[in-house]
Amino acid sequence: TSYTTSVDYATGVADTGHIANSEASRDLPVQGNATAHVRPSDPRAIRTRTKLMAALVDLATRKDLDEISIGELTAAAGVNRATFYLHYSDKEGLLLDAVRALTDEISVGAAAASGKDFADPDRAPLHTLAFFAELDRSAALYRRVLGPAGSPAVQASLHDGLRRAITDEIMHRSADRTIDERSTERSAAFLTGGVIAAAIAWLDDDKRAPATAEAAAVWRMVLASSAALQGQTTPGDRQHVTALDQPITPRSLNARPT
C-alpha cells in the first residue's frame, strides 16, 4: 500500500494521485533504511508518506531535486524531520518508494489483464494508461528523476519494474505458443528501454500530447516492436510491423495504423 496511481481493473477507472489500498496491491517495504517499527500498512505511515510525496511533487515544479532540503520538504509536507527519518534516510528513499509503488501497480495490472486487453493496437491496456497518467500528474518530478541529473538508483528501479511488467505482458500475449525464455528477456529489455526513452521525450515536450494519446502511441510501438522481435507474420502483426518502417514524427506517433 503506497502512494501511486491506482486502477480498478474491473471497471477500468484510473485514480491518479491517491493511495492504492486494495487487495490487489502489495505492501511495499519502507525504503531508505527506515526503522523496523514503522509498518508500511499503518494508516499513519501511509498518510505521512503521501504528504511527503505530494510535497516533493510540488517542490519539484520549482527546484532541482538536489536543491530541495529535507527541512524544506518536511515543512511543505507538514511533518517534522524526525518523522521523515522514521521512514526514509534521504530523498532517494522516498523516490524509490514512489517508483516501486508505481511499477508494482503496473505489474499487478499486467497480471490482471486478459488476452483481449493486449489485442487492440489502438487501445492501450489500463496499466499502460495508469503509468502515463501518473507521469503526467507528476511531470516536473519525473522529468527531473529521469533526466541527466536524476538518481541512478531510482532510474534503475523504474527500469527493472517496467522490465518485469513487460516480460509478464509478453508471456501473457504468447500463452498460446511456446516461446524462448532467453529471447523473451532480451525482448523485454529492448522494449523497456524504448518505453522509457519515449516517456522522457514526451515529458520534455512543452506541447506534449495528453497522457491517453501518448499511452496509445507507445502501445502501438510496443506491439510493432514486439511483433518484429518475435518474427510474427499474421495479418494483424504485419500491420504492427509496417508501422516500424514509417518515419517517426509527432504526427506519425499519434496516427492510427491503416
Side-chain angles (χ1 to χ4, degrees):
T1 303
S2 293
Y3 182 92
T4 184
T5 296
S6 61
V7 176
D8 184 334
Y9 293 101
T11 63
V13 177
D15 181 19
T16 56
H18 290 79
I19 294 294
N21 192 18
S22 67
E23 292 182 0
S25 297
R26 297 195 303 251
D27 282 350
L28 299 178
V30 176
Q31 301 297 307
N33 299 321
T35 53
H37 66 271
V38 176
R39 293 184 297 110
S41 58
D42 187 302
R44 291 171 298 179
I46 293 172
R47 287 194 296 270
T48 296
R49 295 197 303 273
T50 301
K51 289 179 180 179
L52 288 168
M53 191 62 201
L56 187 59
V57 168
D58 179 61
L59 291 169
T61 63
R62 302 185 296 277
K63 289 186 171 186
D64 287 334
L65 294 176
D66 58 3
E67 295 176 348
I68 301 173
S69 68
I70 298 300
E72 186 177 18
L73 176 61
T74 53
V79 302
N80 60 50
R81 290 172 65 96
T83 299
F84 175 89
Y85 288 115
L86 284 175
H87 297 269
Y88 308 105
S89 62
D90 50 30
K91 288 176 294 185
E92 186 174 80
L94 172 59
L95 288 169
L96 281 169
D97 196 18
V99 166
R100 289 184 61 179
L102 176 59
T103 56
D104 185 71
E105 193 75 16
I106 295 168
S107 294
V108 169
S114 63
K116 66 180 180 180
D117 294 319
F118 299 125
D120 189 346
D122 295 325
R123 182 182 179 186
L126 293 175
H127 56 280
T128 304
L129 290 171
F131 174 67
F132 280 95
E134 174 63 10
L135 293 187
D136 191 41
R137 190 193 69 81
S138 306
L141 174 64
Y142 282 105
R143 196 158 44 236
R144 298 184 191 282
V145 166
L146 298 175
S151 162
V154 175
Q155 293 173 358
S157 179
L158 179 63
H159 185 280
D160 289 346
L162 282 180
R163 179 177 50 78
R164 288 193 299 272
I166 290 175
T167 298
D168 289 343
E169 282 185 0
I170 294 174
M171 299 294 289
H172 212 8
R173 287 190 281 120
S174 306
D176 59 342
R177 61 184 184 274
T178 302
I179 59 174
D180 178 72
E181 183 176 347
R182 185 175 299 175
S183 295
T184 297
E185 291 175 354
R186 289 198 298 269
S187 295
F190 176 84
L191 293 170
T192 299
V195 170
I196 292 177
I200 292 172
W202 175 64
L203 288 171
D204 286 340
D205 188 351
D206 292 334
K207 297 181 180 179
R208 66 178 181 273
T212 51
E214 183 65 14
V218 170
W219 177 242
R220 287 193 292 272
M221 288 188 281
V222 166
L223 286 178
S225 300
S226 182
L229 287 167
Q230 296 179 37
Q232 297 170 2
T233 57
T234 65
D237 293 328
R238 284 186 183 280
Q239 184 181 49
H240 303 327
V241 174
T242 300
L244 290 177
D245 298 328
Q246 301 174 358
I248 297 177
T249 65
R251 182 182 297 273
S252 66
L253 284 178
N254 294 312
R256 294 191 174 191
T258 56

